[in-house]
Amino acid sequence: MLKNPLRDIQDDPPALNCPECGGEVWPGQSTYFLYGRMVCVECFKKEISYQMENDPRGLALELGIDMEQVS
């Protein structure tokens, strides 16, 4: 069934709510599989920023980036 083209799209419900923050995720937006759950872009950026600041080695390992210890 086709939706009414004159409808107000702001009345449409979000596609889903982020399980981390409860924020709305709309059709066409991306989600990210993080620690076994799909999260919104804001939660993903928050986690990546935290990891970059506090554990860059662990982040590199998660991303499959080669590291080398300088001697």
Side-chain angles (χ1 to χ4, degrees), residues 3-57:
K3 291 186 178 183
N4 179 356
L6 300 177
R7 77 189 192 289
D8 184 353
I9 62 170
Q10 292 180 343
D11 290 338
D12 289 350
L16 61 96
N17 289 77
C18 175
E20 185 69 25
C21 70
E24 297 172 334
V25 180
W26 298 95
Q29 291 183 314
S30 297
T31 57
Y32 300 86
F33 194 67
L34 185 65
Y35 307 130
R37 301 189 316 176
M38 295 304 291
V39 298
C40 70
V41 67
E42 294 304 320
C43 288
F44 180 72
K45 290 190 307 188
K46 182 179 171 184
E47 179 61 24
I48 294 300
S49 295
Y50 175 83
Q51 291 295 329
M52 189 64 179
E53 189 67 33
N54 295 290
D55 188 14
R57 186 176 186 281

